[in-house]
C-alpha cells in the first residue's frame, strides 16, 4: 500500500514537471518569436510595411547597408553616435550618484535623513515626463535648448534625478555587515577608503545593475529626447530616428531599415550585459565569502 502511494506520488510529480516544462517552453516561444521576427524582417528584401506573406520570402543585407549609407534623409549613424556618447556619459555620472547616495543613506546617520528618504520615495512614484515641459523651459531660459548644448541638456536631464533611485542599492549595502567597516576603521581607514576598498568590491552585483539601468535610460528614452531636440535633426537619438522611420512619408522605404535599426541598437546592450555578467557572478561569490 505504501509502495503504491509512493509510486502514485512520483507519477503525479513527473506529470507536474512535464506540464511546467511545456508551459515554460510555450512562454519562451511567445517571448522569442517577436524578436526573431524583427531580425528576419531586418533581412527581408520586400519593401514596405505590408506584404502578402507574414514571413520574408527572400533575404538581403541591403537594409543594413542603406541604414548606414543613406544619410540624406535619416542620418542613422549620427543618431547612433549621439545616443552612444550621451548614454556612456550619463551611465558614468548616474552610477556615481546612485552609489554615493545609497552608501550615505545606508551607512551614515545625519539630520533629515529619514525625511529625505521619504521625499525621495514620494517623488519616485511620479513619472519623470510629468515635468518635461517645465524642464524644457528651464533649459531654454539658460540657453541649453539650441545647437551643441542640446547634448549637454540631455545629459543633465538624464543624470539629474538619478540620485533619487538609491533604494535598491541602499538595500544591497544594508546586507553587507557593518563589522567589516568597523574593522577597517580600526585599521586606520577613512570612510572613503572603506567605501572604495571594502564596500565596492563586495557590491559588484548592484554595480552591474546600476550600470545597466543607467545606460538603458538614455539609450531607450524617446519623450525627453523628442521634447528637447525638437526639429534639430543633427542631435536626434536612435529612438527618434526609429520613430521617424515609421512616419507615413518614410514607412514604405524605411520599414525594413527600421527593423535593421532595432537590431543594431540591441547590440550595445547585449555587449554591455555579456561583459558585465561575469562581474555579477564574481560579486555574488565574493559577497558570500565575505
Amino acid at each position: 500500500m505504501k509502495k503504491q502511494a509512493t509510486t502514485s506520488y512520483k507519477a503525479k510529480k513527473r506529470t507536474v514537471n512535464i506540464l511546467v516544462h511545456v508551459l515554460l517552453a510555450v512562454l519562451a516561444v511567445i517571448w522569442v518569436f517577436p524578436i526573431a521576427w524583427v531580425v528576419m524582417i531586418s533581412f527581408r528584401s520586400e519593401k514596405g510595411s505590408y506584404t502578402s506573406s507574414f514571413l520574408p520570402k527572400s533575404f538581403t543585407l541591403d537594409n543594413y547597408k542603406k541604414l548606414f549609407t543613406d544619410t540624406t534623409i535619416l542620418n542613422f549613424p549620427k543618431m547612433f553616435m549621439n545616443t552612444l556618447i550621451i548614454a556612456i556619459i550619463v551611465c558614468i555620472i548616474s552610477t556615481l550618484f546612485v552609489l554615493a547616495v545609497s552608501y550615505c543613506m545606508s551607512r551614515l546617520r545625519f539630520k533629515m535623513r529619514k525625511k529625505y528618504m521619504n521625499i525621495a520615495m514620494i517623488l519616485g512614484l511620479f513619472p519623470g515626463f510629468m515635468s518635461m515641459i517645465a524642464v524644457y523651459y528651464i533649459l531654454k531660459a539658460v540657453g541649453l535648448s539650441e545647437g551643441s548644448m542640446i547634448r549637454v541638456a540631455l545629459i543633465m536631464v538624464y543624470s539629474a534625478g538619478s540620485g533619487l533611485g538609491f533604494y535598491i542599492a541602499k538595500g544591497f549595502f544594508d546586507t553587507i555587515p557593518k563589522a567589516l567597516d568597523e574593522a577597517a576603521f580600526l585599521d586606520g581607514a577613512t570612510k572613503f577608503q572603506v567605501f572604495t576598498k571594502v564596500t565596492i568590491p563586495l557590491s559588484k552585483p548592484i554595480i552591474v545593475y546600476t550600470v545597466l539601468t543607467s545606460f538603458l535610460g538614455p539609450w531607450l528614452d524617446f519623450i525627453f529626447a523628442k521634447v528637447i531636440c525638437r526639429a534639430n535633426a543633427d542631435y536626434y537619438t536612435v529612438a527618434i530616428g526609429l520613430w521617424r522611420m515609421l512616419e507615413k512619408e518614410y514607412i514604405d522605404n524605411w520599414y525594413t531599415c527600421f527593423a535593421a535599426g532595432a537590431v543594431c541598437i540591441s547590440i550595445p546592450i547585449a555587449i554591455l550585459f555579456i561583459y558585465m555578467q561575469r562581474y555579477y557572478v564574481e560579486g555574488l561569490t565574493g559577497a558570500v565569502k565575505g
Side-chain angles (χ1 to χ4, degrees):
M1 201 63 186
K2 185 177 180 181
K3 186 177 181 180
Q4 290 179 350
T6 304
T7 305
S8 176
Y9 172 76
K10 289 182 178 179
K12 289 181 180 179
K13 187 176 181 179
R14 191 181 303 112
T15 303
V16 171
N17 287 336
I18 292 173
L19 292 175
V20 169
H21 282 82
V22 170
L23 177 62
L24 292 175
V26 172
L27 292 176
V29 170
I30 293 173
W31 181 77
V32 171
F33 181 75
I35 300 174
W37 184 78
V38 170
V39 174
M40 288 189 293
I41 294 299
S42 70
F43 292 101
R44 191 181 74 183
S45 59
E46 303 92 48
K47 301 298 179 184
S49 57
Y50 300 102
T51 58
S52 58
S53 60
F54 182 74
L55 298 176
K57 294 181 179 179
S58 57
F59 298 90
T60 181
L61 292 173
D62 290 343
N63 299 322
Y64 288 91
K65 183 179 178 181
K66 179 181 178 180
L67 188 68
F68 287 97
T69 57
D70 188 355
T71 59
T72 55
I73 300 176
L74 298 174
N75 195 340
F76 184 81
K78 192 165 189 176
M79 298 174 193
F80 190 93
M81 289 306 301
N82 286 339
T83 313
L84 185 62
I85 293 171
I86 293 171
I88 291 175
I89 296 175
V90 170
C91 179
I92 295 172
I93 296 174
S94 297
T95 301
L96 292 175
F97 280 179
V98 171
L99 294 179
V101 173
S102 57
Y103 180 78
C104 291
M105 294 297 107
S106 174
R107 288 295 194 264
L108 304 182
R109 296 296 181 268
F110 51 89
K111 190 176 181 181
M112 300 289 291
R113 174 178 171 274
K114 289 187 177 180
K115 291 183 179 180
Y116 171 79
M117 292 175 63
N118 292 334
I119 292 172
M121 183 180 66
I122 294 171
L123 291 176
L125 298 175
F126 297 93
F129 61 80
M130 288 181 63
S131 61
M132 62 182 177
I133 303 300
V135 169
Y136 169 73
Y137 280 107
I138 292 173
L139 294 173
K140 185 177 181 180
V142 296
L144 295 178
S145 63
E146 300 293 339
S148 60
M149 299 305 293
I150 289 177
R151 293 195 188 98
V152 178
L154 288 172
I155 291 171
M156 291 178 61
V157 168
Y158 294 135
S159 304
S162 58
L164 293 177
F166 64 86
Y167 268 94
I168 296 177
K170 176 190 174 296
F172 187 91
F173 287 144
D174 289 341
T175 63
I176 299 176
K178 293 184 179 180
L180 298 175
D181 297 10
E182 295 171 357
F185 288 139
L186 290 175
D187 290 337
T190 63
K191 285 185 173 63
F192 183 75
Q193 289 175 329
V194 171
F195 175 63
T196 55
K197 296 182 179 180
V198 177
T199 306
I200 291 299
L202 296 175
S203 306
K204 290 179 181 178
I206 198 61
I207 294 174
V208 171
Y209 169 81
T210 305
V211 168
L212 289 174
T213 53
S214 300
F215 183 85
L216 289 177
W219 187 257
L220 302 176
D221 178 69
F222 171 78
I223 296 177
F224 275 106
K226 181 60 178 174
V227 170
I228 294 173
C229 292
R230 302 185 324 281
N232 296 288
D234 290 337
Y235 305 100
Y236 278 174
T237 61
V238 289
I240 302 175
L242 294 180
W243 172 73
R244 293 212 63 191
M245 290 179 191
L246 297 181
E247 290 181 335
K248 60 181 180 180
E249 61 264 36
Y250 300 124
I251 190 169
D252 286 336
N253 294 323
W254 287 86
Y255 182 73
T256 49
C257 291
F258 161 80
V263 174
C264 289
I265 66 172
S266 67
I267 293 174
I269 301 172
I271 293 174
L272 182 64
F273 178 78
I274 293 171
Y275 177 77
M276 300 293 290
Q277 189 178 25
R278 62 192 180 101
Y279 294 105
Y280 183 84
V281 176
E282 291 174 3
L284 286 178
T285 306
V288 172
K289 289 180 180 179

